[in-house]
Amino acid sequence: MSSRVEEIIRRRVLTEVEKYPFFQRAVVALSGGKDSGSLLHAFIDTYPNKEVIPVHLNLGIKGFSEASECFAKMQAERAGLRLMVFNLKRELGFTIMDAERLYPKVCSVCGGFKRYLLNKIAFELGADIILTAHHLEDFLVRMLKSVLNAGFEELARFKTYLPRNGNLIAKGRPFCRVPESLIVEYAFLKGIPFLSEKCPIGRKENVERFRRTVEILARRQSQKLLYFSSLTKLAEMLQNSGAVTMPELTPCSSCGFLASSEICSFCARMKKIRAFLGRDQAP
Ligand code: SF4
Ligand code: ZN
């Protein structure tokens, strides 16, 4: 018999995923943490007939990436699946720690790399969708930041599901209405192994401040859900108002994936990092 926590999570995953058009092959981004480990488990539990490919990106962060990969592997094995690992150092010749030397605000670069690589991998695997484990508070923080910083374009672009666009695979966030506290309960209840250590190079003070603000503003889960609905409505209104213009996407002249500039930010940054490392290693 399933517990209350399992039931809530299953219901919320189901409600969200039922809004997506039909799909069969899903890539689940597995970091080794509690959120993605729980998502993999909850998704398989809810949709046992879908094809799931767990993918882990090893970012080469010393003392952290080794452990993350190890936990991701355990989570995949526990679900009876084989983990696919993409190792940045091996495949691209540099790590996120190398990138940090050139880009001290490394999280935005790292986030962009992860999005690009997951899309490329999913595209090559012929997947229909990429599922990530962003939860309720992740969304509230992002949306609140956009509103307070007048980042209306960012808010207008906000979606819990992004349909496929050319070579950009569809993206779904089945945990968007699940609070973090429930995910923690679920992970312990289901005995999901996860790495609780935080990334040692991430500078997310700003995010943490917003996170604390969300906790002060919404003491109860129902309040968080209400704020989420209000902000989602606001994002939809902005999208439909025509007040913000969406950038036109064209194929990147280097890799061919759709981007808002002639050369995509991944290719441009990768070129810079490789040139920087080349200079660095020159005699
Ligand atoms: Fe990358 Fe920042 Fe996350 Fe670390 S905290 S994995 S650097 S996005
Ligand atoms: Zn490119």
Side-chain angles (χ1 to χ4, degrees), residues 59 61 64 96 106-108 110-111 114 199-204:
L59 304 169
I61 299 170
F64 177 72
I96 288 298
V106 73
C107 285
S108 63
C110 181
K114 288 194 276 194
C199 168
I201 61 165
R203 295 193 183 86
K204 294 198 162 175

Side-chain angles (χ1 to χ4, degrees), residues 45-276:
D45 198 34
T46 317
Y47 292 96
N49 297 323
K50 301 264 188 208
E51 190 187 343
V52 175
I53 308 171
V55 173
H56 175 76
L57 303 176
N58 184 314
L59 304 169
I61 299 170
K62 215 168 180 308
F64 177 72
S65 290
E66 298 87 339
S68 301
E69 184 178 325
C70 193
F71 274 96
K73 211 169 269 168
M74 283 194 271
Q75 292 169 346
E77 274 168 14
R78 201 180 167 284
L81 299 168
R82 206 167 67 84
L83 182 70
M84 182 180 165
V85 179
F86 182 98
N87 185 301
L88 250 74
K89 181 73 183 174
R90 224 169 22 232
E91 307 285 341
L92 305 176
F94 62 87
T95 66
I96 288 298
M97 292 187 87
D98 294 326
E100 191 203 13
R101 293 167 60 203
L102 195 58
Y103 299 101
K105 286 185 176 172
V106 73
C107 285
S108 63
V109 175
C110 181
F113 275 18
K114 288 194 276 194
R115 278 191 297 279
Y116 177 91
L117 290 170
L118 278 173
N119 183 72
K120 186 172 188 289
I121 294 165
F123 179 77
E124 286 165 0
L125 288 170
D128 304 310
I129 191 165
I130 302 166
L131 300 176
T132 55
H134 297 94
H135 52 63
L136 181 59
E137 287 85 352
D138 288 332
F139 280 108
L140 286 174
V141 164
R142 217 181 101 189
M143 293 165 103
L144 192 62
K145 267 177 76 183
S146 305
V147 170
L148 295 180
N149 294 326
F152 300 125
E153 274 184 28
E154 193 188 310
L155 187 66
R157 272 203 303 270
F158 167 86
K159 282 191 178 99
T160 53
Y161 170 77
L162 283 167
R164 181 167 182 151
N165 179 9
N167 54 19
L168 303 182
I169 303 297
K171 283 152 196 95
R173 286 91 185 214
F175 273 178
C176 64
R177 284 183 173 78
V178 181
E180 190 178 20
S181 56
L182 217 58
I183 298 176
V184 175
E185 270 190 71
Y186 183 82
F188 281 114
L189 186 77
K190 303 302 282 182
I192 296 165
F194 66 85
L195 180 69
S196 35
E197 206 181 298
K198 293 244 180 285
C199 168
I201 61 165
R203 295 193 183 86
K204 294 198 162 175
E205 295 88 358
N206 206 12
V207 173
E208 287 307 322
R209 251 199 336 273
F210 272 94
R211 177 62 205 259
R212 287 199 296 277
T213 308
V214 165
E215 293 306 323
I216 292 166
L217 290 173
R219 307 274 290 277
R220 286 191 307 276
Q221 206 197 108
S222 56
Q223 273 175 308
K224 285 184 185 171
L225 287 167
L226 182 69
Y227 295 158
F228 178 77
S229 298
S230 311
L231 289 164
T232 309
K233 270 189 206 127
L234 188 62
E236 278 168 13
M237 278 163 63
L238 273 170
Q239 277 162 32
N240 300 333
S241 70
V244 287
T245 48
M246 296 297 158
E248 200 192 323
L249 302 182
T250 51
C252 162
S253 59
S254 176
C255 69
F257 282 98
L258 289 180
S260 53
S261 46
E262 197 242 323
I263 179 156
C264 76
S265 59
F266 175 84
C267 289
R269 282 166 172 163
M270 188 167 72
K271 203 170 153 205
K272 269 194 189 166
I273 294 167
R274 284 179 172 161
F276 171 75

